[in-house]
Amino acid sequence: MSHSGTPGGQPGPQRTTDRAPALSEPARAYAELIAGNRRFVSGAPRHPNQDAGHRAAVADGQHPFAVIVGCSDSRLAAEIIFDRGLGDLFVVRTAGHTAGPEVLGSVEYAVTVLGTPLVVVLGHDSCGAVQAAREVATTGTQPQGHLRAVVDAVLPSLRRAETEGVQDIDGIVDIHIAQTVETLLGQSPVLADEVAQGRCAVVGVSYRLAAGAVSPVAAVPACFATLGEEAGPLGPAAPAAA
Ligand SMILES: [Zn+2]
């Protein structure tokens, strides 16, 4: 595996070694992501791996430590909100983080060919794709063109929210994030096997547009849902989650 212990060539301040010496590779990758998000939230990003030297260094090959399956929303730029740079994240984005065949294939490529140990589903509050699906579910009016494919992919989450009695849009978003995690694992035996073997984890996180912070809403293995807290301080800036 080529995931470096210090993605980005950063010195890795204290890391988690004294409190969690046996963190697995997926757990270390998740800790790196959370640490980057905390830097971003606190207004103290380091912008790692964005210099010319690193650009040249990664030209011969990529070893991203996380796959991001995120919404295309323009305010959800993965490298910015996780404070990472070139070669760090393998990013697949669609409106409403739908998980169709090309997305599944892209995830499988990263996990099996590149050896990436973590898949993160990244959704957010006020998601337009989820709102569009709710509009369709409410009015029955079908959207134009290929937008229908996006809405159709989100509708199962709307039905699940209805069954669970969840009506607020951000609650529905959280359900859709969890649904996307389940879809990835359910539709990709390759990914499910990597997770079963302990080589990979899949975590769904919800991002708050105004605060900039992510919080986990679903995870396989389930322990990843609380890993950020268990791992203790991950970096120089660790503000309490709002
Ligand atoms: Zn969205």
Side-chain angles (χ1 to χ4, degrees):
M1 292 294 260
S2 34
H3 163 52
S4 139
T6 55
Q10 295 299 306
Q14 281 93 52
R15 289 295 315 259
T16 58
T17 47
D18 54 341
R19 292 186 56 182
L23 279 183
S24 66
E25 195 168 14
R28 284 195 297 129
Y30 185 61
E32 287 289 348
L33 267 192
I34 296 302
N37 181 244
R38 287 176 178 178
R39 294 195 299 272
F40 170 69
V41 169
S42 68
R46 293 205 301 255
H47 307 295
N49 299 341
Q50 297 181 18
D51 58 287
H54 185 76
R55 183 180 69 219
V58 296
D60 289 338
Q62 60 169 327
H63 307 289
F65 69 90
V67 181
I68 308 294
V69 179
C71 181
S72 299
D73 192 293
S74 60
R75 300 160 291 183
L76 211 60
E79 282 84 355
I80 295 176
I81 70 170
F82 291 116
D83 191 30
R84 301 307 320 179
L86 300 175
D88 290 335
L89 307 178
F90 191 92
V91 183
V92 190
R93 294 171 68 184
T94 66
H97 46 84
T98 57
E102 292 88 350
V103 171
L104 290 165
S106 300
V107 171
E108 289 181 359
Y109 173 77
V111 170
T112 63
V113 179
L114 303 178
T116 307
L118 176 69
V119 177
V120 169
V121 173
L122 176 64
H124 64 99
D125 52 350
S126 308
C127 181
V130 174
Q131 289 174 320
R134 186 167 71 166
E135 182 80 9
V136 169
T138 303
T139 67
T141 305
Q142 291 296 337
Q144 297 288 315
H146 293 288
L147 182 53
R148 183 167 182 169
V150 173
V151 165
D152 284 349
V154 178
L155 280 177
S157 299
L158 264 292
R159 287 192 281 271
R160 182 167 160 182
E162 191 173 38
T163 300
E164 297 180 10
V166 176
Q167 295 181 330
D168 70 290
I169 194 68
D170 295 337
I172 298 172
V173 164
D174 284 356
I175 287 174
H176 182 51
I177 293 168
Q179 181 73 42
T180 304
V181 168
E182 291 175 23
T183 300
L184 290 175
L185 289 164
Q187 297 296 310
S188 173
V190 171
L191 176 63
D193 183 60
E194 292 291 317
V195 172
Q197 299 296 326
R199 292 191 293 263
C200 188
V202 183
V203 185
V205 302
S206 180
Y207 176 82
R208 290 291 175 263
L209 291 173
V214 297
S215 55
V217 298
V220 180
C223 61
F224 276 72
T226 55
L227 192 64
E229 299 155 27
E230 290 173 352
L234 296 170

